[in-house]
Amino acid sequence: MDQETVRTICYLARLEIDKDKAEKIENELEAIINLIGGLQAFDTENIEPLYSPLEQKAFKHEDIENSDNKKDEFLKNAAASNDDYFLVPRVVE
Amino acid sequence: MSIQYKTISQLREMIDAKSISSQELVKETLKLAESLKELNCFVTMNKDEGIKKAIEVDGTNTSNSLLKGIPLAQKDLFCTEGLRTTCSSKILADFVPPYTATAVEKLENAGSITIGKTNMDEFAMGSSNETSFFGNVHNPWKKGYVPGGSSGGSAAAVAAGIIPAATGTDTGGSIRQPAAHCGITGIKPTYGRVSRWGMIAFASSLDQAGPLARSAEDCAILLNEMSGYDPKDTTCLNVENTNLLQSINQPIKGLKIGIVKEFNLGDLKAEVQIRFEESKKIYESLGAEFVEISLPSISASVPTYYSIAPAECSSNLSRFDGVRFGYRAKDTDDLNDLYIKSRSEGFGDEVKRRILIGTYALSAGYYDAYYKKAQQVRRLIKNDFEVAFRSIDLIMTPTSPGTAFAFGSKGVQNPVELYLEDLFTISSNLAGLPAISIPHGKVNGLPVGLQLIGNFLKEDLLLNAAHIFQQNSEFHLERPSMEEF
Amino acid sequence: MTWETVIGLETHVQLSTKTKLFSRASTTFGKSPNTNVNLIDCGLPGVLPSVNKEAFYKAIRFGMAVGSKINQTSIFDRKNYFYADLPKGYQITQMDLPIVLGGKIDIQTDSGIKTINITRAHLEEDAGKSIHDEFDGFSAIDLNRAGTPLLEIVSEPEISNAKEAVSYMKAMHQLVTFLDVSDGNMSQGSLRCDANVSIRKKGDSKLGTRTEIKNINSFKFIEKAINFEIKRQVQVLESGGNVIQETRLYDSYKDETRPMRSKEFANDYRYFPEPDLLPVVISDSEMQEIKDHFPELPKEKKARYQKEYGLAIYDAQIIASSKSMADFFDAAVQKTKNYILLSNWLIGEISAFLNKETIEINESKLSAENVAVLINRIDDQTISGKIAKSIFEEMCSSGESPDQIIETKGLKQITDDDSIEKVVDEVIANNPDQVEGYQSGKDKLLGFFVGQVMKETQGKANPQTVNKILKEKLTK
């Protein structure tokens, strides 16, 4: 895993790594990727992926409203809000 | 009368005989927790509300639930309305949820009292409880040693006798491994048995809640209440709930137990092998039969897990962005800067590592080789179990390759070293199967656990086999000296 | 050099369900900010989605109407990216197994009907809304819209110019409104599209580099945005440059497209199956249930209007082409028997009024019942056609019922011969010169007498009766 890949992955995940830890983390990631690489030894031709241990179908809910207005509780949990909105630094589109 | 180390049944008798009220019991428990603060089992106590609820429960005669008035603790990833829920992370250090997790709600509806939220590995990512923002939890059996993880606070609190039982969650062994390291009993139910609503997700297709307690019987009491259909979680099974206590005493004569050839138990430390062999003998003396079985793909469990779990976690943890709840970094230039700083300052190293691995496994060009491949191998593993369970009733393995270890002694240089701790436990998460860990003696003064894995929805048989074992041995009755605390 | 344009449209249709795609919070438009938001929509830790059945039924109805293959087992995927109004850091959408695959839709072009192929249509959740200009230094986030069900319909790149794109969107609007899949309200964003536009030298088989114009929400803007973008790309290529693949925004004030700044980083969405939702399976009996309750489409409506109500082909076509008009007609025919007069009014007076106001009939103050009553009052000669027009104006502005207007303003038609005869006699007596003129062969003067009688009766006299009596008296 080269530095460029690590940079891209960090950006996608919106994380940054301290410069002094960068090499250590790269090595750790490399070790984990090697561990996962062990998968390649297994023949999975024509094997359907198993995305959930429950091979069942989803329950569908009826289109009937059932919801409380918890606006105040939600806004209270936000680091920045006013009476009506969550606030973030201004975005320019 | 001391309440320390009491089981639920013992506390039940005390309450019913009016030798203690729930209020007194809760107050005693809080006092005990305070005196053992050094263990660092708890992140948040629920003192005032807990006592209030106990007074309420004392005043009602309606419920005849076994849990009425019994103090319990919840792993700090179950949302509890009005009570801080942190996932042992800086990013949620001040988060007070506006709702309660279904599993906790069911336990509280049965009359139990939540006395606090237990410490854990940050976002349940870890096998030693060393990744918590709130510090390490000590193993009650030896100070400076890990309790296991990620449900380390729950396991230590039960092992230290502060509470009779606690909730945990298990994504790759996070109930069973700390139960083993702390000398208590813990069960991970079938995926879908307990609702995940309100349980802060680590890896959605692997996470499952379950109890940790001093005996299989107490686990059954909690699981009876926790499990059940919940339309709010569409991965929750709509199956009839059998009373797990009903069949718990059934004789196990003729029970067929599989020993997995591929686990190469001969490679383990001699003392661990000896414990395992002796437990086999106990089961044989009770009429069980042992059969060697093969799970050909089982060696893929660890790489499969460390591809799937980080992938799901990388996405599940995206909601922690500093916008609607949780930690927000100061002095940010713009929205992206806010995301990057809040997340980088808010998450610890192990969480970051797993998010990065997961992001990598899902990214263009690697998805097929890592994520999809892992899900295909996952099917191979599940198929192996399906074949095996055609000829056996249960599978028996050690819970963990070794015992609890000293703080900072494992995984510091190489995280993979710690990942191998989960060797025996993660396959049941991948396949969605129930599994239990029961104490079966000590190695060098530290407890070791015996794991039983059952077929889909066979919690009744697991608890039955575990209970019969405990009726015929005394490992689960052993207590740490606690002299160091 | 001659250039050829290739356009593909991704249409986002907001489904008219009562609740959200993955939660049971209301989807009602225009509520106070962050009040149509529950735990799930807010993306709180520990919450889980569940699927809205009605959203699936609507998506399937659309698929059936355009002749698609319906995937009775479909799965949801997560599309991962960070944005302030995307609460979970991922959008739940359908990638590999969308509910609707393939299909076609016919559009009107200058050279006749053209068939545009549909690639796929999938269900996904909408994001919230960011408000950038109201608070100093902040963007404000409103999650009311977060989780609203969308059907994203992707066309093949078979649209050749801006006009065809507009026709396509109009056909889409008609279809989704008739199917009761969406309310089609474009000003509220219920129907909007992203246009993928590229140009190539005429005759080239390879597609040119495309740009994507995001979020266009009116027929007028679709045409303008695409035309601007074509012109821009031609200019770029003809001056020796290269078109850059990018996302652009249409600015209707400046009438131009410009690159979106917030999307400047190439993204990798890391799609993977949503582990919180199992596959959604639509049973055969559910499919049958959807077929059994299939709404009437314009073609069928038109035929029924001709057959049941005797409407002329042209009239039936016009009324049946707009969902709101057809609904209005269907409701009004329950209350009147003069179908032809009703249709005449709808196509004439009422349409003229709506066009002038640029509103749909369901946005006006007119009710089907009131219009039916107005027709009935003309039909039973309570009022004349002329009076009816002034009553109609009153109905449009006040929303009052015609009977009430007739009553308060005393507009009831005078039909009895005696009263009219009296007025006619007066008019004849007061205008001897005109009488003489008429009798000496100036037939056209009849109009003058009718006018005078109408003036005297404030227009309330029945014109046929007035004519009849005048002729009798004048020829005596």
Side-chain angles (χ1 to χ4, degrees):
Chain A
M1 209 191 237
D2 56 27
Q3 285 188 354
E4 183 55 36
T5 311
V6 175
R7 251 202 308 278
T8 310
I9 297 296
C10 280
Y11 180 73
L12 287 173
R14 298 300 187 277
L15 288 174
E16 64 189 356
I17 334 181
D18 299 341
K19 281 214 178 69
D20 50 324
K21 278 194 198 163
E23 204 188 311
K24 181 174 181 284
I25 290 182
E26 276 164 35
N27 290 336
E28 288 169 352
L29 295 181
E30 190 71 48
I32 302 169
I33 294 299
N34 284 338
L35 172 76
I36 302 175
L39 287 173
Q40 304 314 320
F42 291 83
D43 181 7
T44 51
E45 214 183 309
N46 299 322
I47 301 292
E48 274 296 305
L50 178 69
Y51 293 114
S52 166
L54 296 183
E55 294 192 86
Q56 301 191 354
K57 57 185 183 179
F59 157 82
K60 302 189 279 288
H61 72 245
E62 295 295 329
D63 188 26
I64 300 165
E65 195 185 327
N66 177 17
S67 195
D68 305 330
N69 173 13
K70 287 187 185 265
K71 182 181 95 169
D72 294 338
E73 281 172 85
F74 291 157
L75 294 177
K76 201 176 66 195
N77 257 319
S81 60
N82 61 19
D83 288 347
D84 288 319
Y85 298 99
F86 302 98
L87 298 176
V88 298
R90 188 163 179 270
V91 178
V92 184
E93 282 202 327
Chain B
M1 193 188 313
S2 170
I3 55 145
Q4 197 173 8
Y5 301 119
K6 293 274 185 291
T7 64
I8 292 174
S9 325
Q10 288 165 335
L11 292 173
R12 174 85 272 129
E13 273 175 36
M14 289 164 72
I15 296 174
D16 289 349
K18 303 234 186 310
S19 60
I20 195 167
S21 69
S22 175
Q23 186 191 166
E24 287 158 347
L25 179 53
V26 167
K27 282 181 176 164
E28 282 299 308
T29 304
L30 289 163
K31 222 186 280 171
L32 190 53
E34 179 64 29
S35 72
L36 293 172
K37 219 173 168 179
E38 212 186 338
L39 281 170
N40 201 24
C41 308
F42 292 95
V43 174
T44 310
M45 301 309 298
N46 190 33
K47 196 172 165 220
D48 297 342
E49 285 300 311
I51 293 170
K52 211 172 109 189
K53 167 99 189 274
I55 294 171
E56 249 171 63
V57 168
D58 280 333
T60 55
N61 297 317
T62 45
S63 158
N64 54 2
S65 157
L66 292 171
L67 286 174
K68 190 186 162 197
I70 304 289
L72 299 175
Q74 321 294 352
K75 187 177 183 179
D76 205 18
L77 56 52
F78 290 98
C79 284
T80 42
E81 186 171 353
L83 180 62
R84 182 170 78 137
T85 301
T86 70
C87 270
S88 286
S89 179
K90 181 181 175 185
I91 213 159
L92 282 181
D94 297 315
F95 177 62
V96 179
Y99 77 113
T100 297
T102 300
V104 172
E105 198 172 67
K106 282 172 176 269
L107 288 171
E108 290 184 341
N109 286 347
S112 74
I113 289 137
T114 298
I115 59 119
K117 306 293 289 287
T118 59
N119 206 338
M120 53 185 276
D121 277 295
E122 185 182 6
F123 282 100
M125 296 175 202
S127 308
S128 64
N129 218 113
E130 294 173 290
T131 69
S132 167
F133 175 65
F134 298 99
N136 292 348
V137 175
H138 291 272
N139 189 314
W141 292 85
K142 193 166 187 179
K143 197 170 178 177
Y145 272 59
V146 304
S150 64
S151 311
S154 287
V158 173
I162 301 171
I163 37 166
T167 54
T169 60
D170 191 316
T171 307
S174 281
I175 287 175
R176 292 160 286 161
Q177 187 253 22
H181 285 354
C182 289
I184 60 166
T185 305
I187 180 167
K188 178 203 95 75
T190 305
Y191 182 83
R193 183 65 99 167
V194 179
S195 167
R196 293 187 298 117
W197 175 261
M199 215 176 101
I200 299 177
F202 159 16
S204 308
S205 76
L206 301 163
D207 294 344
Q208 183 60 203
L212 297 97
R214 307 192 61 77
S215 68
E217 190 181 2
D218 281 0
C219 280
I221 292 173
L222 258 75
L223 193 53
N224 267 343
E225 298 296 343
M226 291 169 78
S227 52
Y229 178 60
D230 178 10
K232 291 205 281 285
D233 172 8
T234 68
T235 63
C236 187
L237 287 162
N238 192 358
V239 289
E240 206 185 326
N241 265 346
T242 45
N243 179 355
L244 297 166
L245 291 170
Q246 213 141 51
S247 51
I248 204 161
N249 274 310
Q250 241 154 45
I252 55 164
K253 195 169 176 346
L255 192 73
K256 273 195 175 165
I257 303 178
I259 302 291
V260 184
K261 187 172 79 182
E262 287 81 3
F263 277 147
N264 297 326
L265 299 180
D267 295 349
L268 296 173
K269 243 194 248 164
E271 294 94 323
V272 176
Q273 286 184 53
I274 292 166
R275 295 263 54 85
F276 192 75
E277 289 308 317
E278 286 183 0
S279 293
K280 259 174 89 174
K281 281 191 198 123
I282 293 176
Y283 270 116
E284 274 166 348
S285 74
L286 293 165
E289 272 174 58
F290 284 88
V291 189
E292 188 182 75
I293 58 159
S294 173
L295 301 172
S297 302
I298 203 76
S299 67
S301 302
V302 175
T304 301
Y305 178 85
Y306 279 96
S307 167
I308 295 169
E312 291 182 3
C313 106
S314 72
S315 177
N316 283 336
L317 268 58
S318 289
R319 70 189 62 205
F320 302 99
D321 58 6
V323 175
R324 296 162 316 288
F325 45 79
Y327 176 78
R328 181 187 287 199
K330 308 277 172 297
D331 305 321
T332 54
D333 305 335
D334 55 28
L335 184 61
N336 247 322
D337 198 39
L338 182 150
Y339 288 149
I340 293 170
K341 288 209 176 102
S342 302
R343 290 166 60 79
S344 301
E345 291 168 20
F347 290 135
D349 285 346
E350 180 62 20
V351 171
K352 283 186 209 166
R353 234 179 337 253
R354 298 207 193 183
I355 292 176
L356 292 175
I357 288 295
T359 304
Y360 180 74
L362 289 174
S363 63
Y366 302 101
Y367 179 88
D368 283 352
Y370 294 121
Y371 184 71
K372 191 174 171 199
K373 178 86 182 179
Q375 299 287 32
Q376 289 172 308
V377 175
R378 183 183 193 174
R379 183 176 297 278
L380 296 179
I381 294 168
K382 189 181 183 221
N383 289 348
D384 284 356
F385 277 112
E386 268 171 26
V387 172
F389 277 118
R390 278 179 212 150
S391 53
I392 52 161
D393 302 305
L394 295 174
I395 294 170
M396 191 166 111
T397 79
T399 306
S400 192
T403 62
F405 43 88
F407 290 159
S409 67
K410 258 192 194 174
V412 179
Q413 288 311 311
N414 183 358
V416 170
E417 194 188 355
L418 202 45
Y419 294 175
L420 297 173
E421 272 287 296
D422 307 329
L423 186 65
F424 301 123
T425 46
I426 55 186
S427 55
S428 43
N429 296 84
L430 291 167
L433 300 172
I436 193 168
S437 175
I438 52 177
H440 71 151
K442 292 198 295 275
V443 170
N444 298 331
L446 290 167
V448 285
L450 179 72
Q451 176 180 237
L452 299 170
I453 304 171
N455 204 353
F456 221 58
L457 296 173
K458 287 288 185 195
E459 285 86 350
D460 50 354
L461 183 61
L462 274 182
L463 287 160
N464 170 216
H467 180 68
I468 297 296
F469 182 90
Q470 294 182 335
Q471 293 299 101
N472 292 278
S473 63
E474 293 191 332
F475 303 116
H476 67 295
L477 301 176
E478 292 182 37
R479 298 167 184 176
S481 74
M482 299 296 290
E483 281 161 1
E484 297 172 298
F485 299 97
Chain C
M1 182 148 0
T2 340
W3 298 95
E4 186 177 63
T5 305
V6 178
I7 303 164
L9 291 179
E10 289 166 20
T11 313
H12 290 91
V13 178
Q14 191 176 303
L15 304 182
S16 51
T17 52
K18 293 186 192 73
T19 62
K20 296 186 176 180
L21 185 51
F22 301 115
S23 91
R24 288 171 63 182
S26 163
T27 52
T28 311
F29 182 82
K31 283 288 169 70
S32 155
N34 290 306
T35 55
N36 275 353
V37 180
N38 72 9
L39 302 162
I40 298 169
D41 312 313
C42 191
L44 282 179
V47 301
L48 297 165
S50 72
V51 176
N52 185 336
K53 180 166 112 180
E54 188 59 25
F56 266 84
Y57 281 22
K58 286 181 191 283
I60 291 168
R61 226 153 48 213
F62 172 81
M64 285 176 172
V66 296
S68 311
K69 171 181 184 275
I70 307 295
N71 281 323
Q72 282 178 250
T73 297
S74 69
I75 62 171
F76 282 103
D77 298 275
R78 291 187 185 176
K79 177 183 182 181
N80 294 283
Y81 66 98
F82 285 88
Y83 199 65
D85 52 28
L86 186 71
K88 300 183 293 298
Y90 55 84
Q91 179 195 33
I92 307 178
T93 177
Q94 298 187 310
M95 186 64 177
D96 286 341
L97 267 181
I99 180 73
V100 168
L101 259 189
K104 35 180 80 92
I105 187 164
D106 287 342
I107 65 167
Q108 287 290 343
T109 72
D110 293 342
S111 49
I113 301 271
K114 176 173 173 180
T115 300
I116 305 293
N117 285 291
I118 308 248
T119 316
R120 55 181 279 157
H122 64 259
L123 283 163
E124 64 183 27
E125 55 178 340
D126 208 343
K129 240 183 195 158
S130 301
I131 296 149
H132 302 304
D133 304 317
E134 250 176 68
F135 305 96
D136 197 28
F138 289 106
S139 287
I141 312 301
D142 174 8
L143 296 178
N144 276 353
R145 201 180 62 186
T148 299
L150 297 177
L151 186 65
E152 178 174 333
I153 303 157
V154 183
S155 85
E156 288 293 308
E158 296 174 344
I159 297 165
S160 314
N161 55 52
K163 270 193 166 168
E164 281 185 19
V166 173
S167 293
Y168 174 87
M169 286 303 285
K170 284 189 169 160
M172 195 60 84
H173 183 269
Q174 191 189 57
L175 193 58
V176 297
T177 50
F178 273 93
L179 288 170
D180 191 25
V181 159
S182 173
D183 66 15
N185 191 322
M186 295 181 83
S187 63
Q188 291 175 4
S190 298
L191 187 71
R192 51 191 200 261
C193 73
D194 302 340
N196 288 298
V197 180
S198 68
I199 59 169
R200 62 180 168 194
K201 283 180 203 156
K202 202 166 178 121
D204 269 10
S205 57
K206 204 169 152 261
L207 289 171
T209 306
R210 67 187 160 87
T211 58
E212 183 179 10
I213 316 170
K214 278 270 177 210
N215 252 328
I216 327 175
N217 65 354
S218 87
F219 296 131
K220 194 169 87 190
F221 294 161
I222 291 166
E223 185 161 1
K224 287 188 158 186
I226 291 176
N227 278 334
F228 176 89
E229 185 57 20
I230 294 169
K231 224 164 78 187
R232 190 189 68 85
Q233 291 189 13
V234 168
Q235 268 167 11
V236 169
L237 292 181
E238 290 192 340
S239 60
N242 287 313
V243 172
I244 305 162
Q245 183 164 350
E246 63 186 353
T247 307
R248 300 177 71 89
L249 265 187
Y250 176 67
D251 182 332
S252 58
Y253 293 103
K254 296 182 182 159
D255 186 24
E256 62 173 31
T257 67
R258 57 182 155 80
M260 264 177 99
R261 273 206 252 172
S262 56
K263 300 259 174 179
E264 66 192 309
F265 302 97
N267 220 330
D268 176 344
Y269 292 120
R270 290 156 286 135
Y271 288 95
F272 74 105
E274 163 60 289
D276 286 332
L277 287 169
L278 301 173
V280 180
V281 178
I282 307 293
S283 66
D284 290 342
S285 67
E286 283 179 293
M287 291 290 279
Q288 193 56 48
E289 189 189 327
I290 298 167
K291 272 181 205 152
D292 291 345
H293 295 92
F294 215 79
E296 201 179 24
L297 291 177
K299 243 188 205 164
E300 297 145 20
K301 274 198 191 291
K302 182 183 143 197
R304 181 164 65 83
Y305 291 167
Q306 289 177 257
K307 189 165 164 256
E308 271 181 39
Y309 305 118
L311 263 49
I313 197 168
Y314 173 80
D315 297 0
Q317 160 105 29
I318 289 189
I319 293 171
S321 68
S322 147
K323 170 78 158 89
S324 54
M325 194 60 93
D327 282 350
F328 197 92
F329 181 77
D330 285 334
V333 287
Q334 304 303 315
K335 305 271 179 184
T336 183
K337 290 279 166 282
N338 198 335
Y339 312 128
I340 304 291
L341 189 57
L342 172 65
S343 130
N344 287 345
W345 267 79
L346 276 173
I347 292 165
E349 217 63 35
I350 294 177
S351 290
F353 165 73
L354 298 173
N355 285 340
K356 201 181 84 202
E357 302 284 322
T358 58
I359 52 171
E360 294 280 318
I361 196 157
N362 52 354
E363 297 165 312
S364 75
K365 287 186 175 167
L366 298 170
S367 73
E369 168 146 21
N370 283 347
V371 168
V373 169
L374 182 70
I375 300 301
N376 289 342
R377 293 300 162 264
I378 303 169
D379 201 40
D380 65 17
Q381 303 201 338
T382 309
I383 52 172
S384 67
K386 196 164 171 214
I387 293 284
K389 282 177 192 173
S390 70
I391 293 173
F392 174 69
E393 275 171 32
E394 183 72 30
M395 286 162 67
C396 289
S397 61
S398 72
E400 270 184 60
S401 78
D403 284 344
Q404 206 171 345
I405 299 169
I406 293 167
E407 178 71 29
T408 48
K409 300 211 162 168
L411 296 175
K412 208 166 168 192
Q413 185 164 251
I414 304 165
T415 44
D416 69 303
D417 289 7
D418 292 351
S419 318
I420 293 174
E421 215 175 306
K422 235 168 96 187
V423 182
V424 169
D425 287 344
E426 267 171 50
V427 168
I428 289 176
N430 293 338
N431 296 287
D433 294 353
Q434 280 78 3
V435 173
E436 203 183 301
Y438 180 84
Q439 284 168 345
S440 64
K442 287 185 184 165
D443 285 358
K444 280 183 185 161
L445 276 170
L446 185 66
F448 166 80
F449 290 107
V450 173
Q452 289 300 308
V453 174
M454 284 308 191
K455 200 171 144 195
E456 290 296 315
T457 58
Q458 285 112 42
K460 288 185 287 186
N462 180 309
Q464 283 87 40
T465 318
V466 173
N467 262 311
K468 192 187 82 192
I469 297 173
L470 268 171
K471 276 185 189 161
E472 277 169 22
K473 299 253 176 187
L474 286 167
T475 45
K476 260 184 197 162

